[in-house]
Amino acid sequence: MSREIYSSLSGAKAAWLQMESLANNLSNTNTAAFKEQRITFKAAEIHPAPLGDSYVMADEVYYDMSDGPMRATGDQHHLALQGPGFFMVQGQDGVRLQRAGNFQRDNENMLVNQNGEFVLGDGGPIEIPDRQDFTVARDGTIRTTSGEELGEIRMVEVDAVMPVGHAQWEAVQGTRKATDTEMIQGSLEGSNADPVRGMIELVEASRYFEAYQKAIQTTDTLDGRTNEIMRSR
């Protein structure tokens, strides 16, 4: 088998990886506070000669953490963040960070996320008095409509995060109190994935994949013909 096929194979693998990432972005364009994944690639040379072997490989996988569009819902339980901060929730596997603020009250009047995990305040989980409405200030302070202060919903900022699934994150090097983030009640942050750009890039990646497939098939055909010629001698 010719070595050239491996260069085409690496290109096809990179194009497939790009398509998977773009398809995931597109499938989450309506997911609250979804952050778009981006991948960069680099060429790796095995031999520096002009006709030496070269391959393509993934260089960096990162997430665009810019704010998504705000959508007003009018639901007092819905909270959106503007700025680089995160909510903190207490799950079975420990404290997690998330941007999605589509919260609700459980049967015990605790403020929880869609998975039933407690939303954390400065003093722990947030409990709301039964059948009482509440307001949330931009700094996260939560009060009943009668003026009783219930605590402050935690907003934290981090230098780096690692995705842990279910649109949640884990701080790589600890957290600190958010100073450049505001909380908006009655709204949800939308996905920052651009569906139009995503579709264009997905079409481009699929064409690259097809081109690499054809290159692999051509190399395989030439190898077969070469072998036939060698056997006929």
Side-chain angles (χ1 to χ4, degrees), residues 37-171:
Q37 184 189 71
R38 309 294 293 175
I39 303 177
T40 60
F41 298 91
K42 65 180 180 180
E45 290 185 351
I46 304 302
H47 194 282
L51 298 179
D53 298 331
S54 61
Y55 306 92
V56 64
M57 57 190 299
D59 182 28
E60 182 184 6
V61 178
Y62 66 96
Y63 293 85
D64 177 4
M65 302 304 292
S66 62
D67 290 352
M70 293 292 163
R71 176 172 62 88
T73 66
D75 189 324
Q76 63 180 343
H77 301 88
H78 288 171
L79 303 171
L81 297 178
Q82 286 187 318
F86 292 85
F87 297 106
M88 298 187 76
V89 298
Q90 179 66 55
Q92 292 182 348
D93 298 323
V95 175
R96 294 288 185 257
L97 308 180
Q98 66 177 65
R99 288 282 300 193
N102 45 346
F103 302 138
Q104 58 192 13
R105 263 186 274 195
D106 66 9
N107 294 332
E108 304 297 327
N109 291 311
M110 306 300 293
L111 190 64
V112 297
N113 65 9
Q114 294 296 300
N115 299 321
E117 299 169 326
F118 296 130
V119 179
L120 296 179
D122 283 346
I126 299 291
E127 182 177 3
I128 302 169
D130 188 28
R131 301 181 182 179
Q132 290 200 35
D133 293 334
F134 61 94
T135 61
V136 180
R138 288 181 177 267
D139 65 356
T141 302
I142 181 169
R143 296 182 175 87
T144 64
T145 51
S146 62
E148 178 188 357
E149 186 169 327
L150 304 176
E152 183 177 314
I153 299 175
R154 294 191 68 179
M155 290 185 290
V156 297
E157 294 174 7
V158 297
D159 292 323
V161 290
M162 176 178 63
V164 293
H166 304 291
Q168 292 184 331
W169 311 80
E170 184 177 310

